Amino acid sequence: MNTLQAQTRLIVRQRIRMMVNQYEVHGANPDGTEGELYAFAQQKRMAFREQVTLYTDDTKREPVLGFKARQMIDLGATYDVVDGGGAPVGSFRKDFAKSLLRTTWHVEQPGLGTATGAERSMMVAIIRRFSEIDWLPYHFDFLIDGQPAFSVEKKWGLRDRYVVNIHDPRIDRRLVTAMAIGLDALQER
């Protein structure tokens, strides 16, 4: 995990499957291509309580982190992020009221404070809400005390692909990884 913490750019790619959402988390090579695989995630669709576990690879033998909703009602659910051994890493939650027009999330890391991320473009946010265009790219910028912490950018393509740029070296990459996957897995809820 030390090599994950050293990353300043990650690539999250969704695999297309019928009954589950699956994601790969890679480091980014200097040329922007996918580098080393850091985690493989799987989420069952239509679960009563959202939970995603990330493993070292798709054999799913060794968990590295995960997140789970504290409650079953999802409107403003808080998701606890834990490491592979179950120790707390932080949490994230959707700000339901602010998300009516522009989706907003809060990411909390003990000792660091709260990073608040909102969709970069109000116009894209409104188009996404009032149309059936689910392939439209969107971007989230997360700030801590007004300073950039990280950003997540959905790229054009047939399958979901995100580029995550990490600006604040203090933020735990496991928490950033969980939030990036959560943006895709939980966005439509």
Side-chain angles (χ1 to χ4, degrees), residues 113-126:
T114 302
T116 299
E119 287 180 271
R120 188 179 297 163
S121 169
M122 178 65 89
M123 181 180 295
V124 170
I126 291 171

Side-chain angles (χ1 to χ4, degrees), residues 20 35 55 57 129 135 165 169 176:
V20 296
Y55 302 90
D57 58 35
R129 278 155 184 72
W135 48 263
N165 290 298
V176 171

Side-chain angles (χ1 to χ4, degrees), residues 36-142:
E36 181 180 349
L37 176 69
Y38 288 111
F40 169 81
Q42 183 167 305
Q43 172 209 27
K44 291 182 181 176
R45 291 188 184 144
M46 295 186 266
F48 285 111
R49 181 178 290 180
E50 296 297 337
Q51 179 174 353
V52 176
T53 303
L54 289 85
Y55 302 90
T56 54
D57 58 35
D58 61 5
T59 64
K60 299 185 278 185
R61 285 190 290 235
E62 185 180 341
V64 291
L65 71 123
F67 62 88
K68 183 177 183 177
R70 287 183 188 167
Q71 60 270 19
M72 290 173 65
I73 305 289
D74 194 86
L75 297 177
T78 296
Y79 298 85
D80 292 309
V81 180
V82 296
D83 68 13
V89 173
S91 64
F92 60 88
R93 66 180 170 81
K94 191 174 194 175
D95 187 322
F96 180 73
K98 287 184 179 178
S99 294
L100 292 174
L101 286 179
R102 181 185 284 180
T103 303
T104 302
W105 292 86
H106 302 286
V107 179
E108 296 180 17
Q109 177 178 322
L112 185 59
T114 302
T116 299
E119 287 180 271
R120 188 179 297 163
S121 169
M122 178 65 89
M123 181 180 295
V124 170
I126 291 171
I127 290 170
R128 283 185 344 94
R129 278 155 184 72
F130 298 107
S131 73
E132 295 297 319
I133 303 174
D134 62 352
W135 48 263
L136 191 65
Y138 52 83
H139 309 86
F140 282 81
D141 296 309
F142 288 82

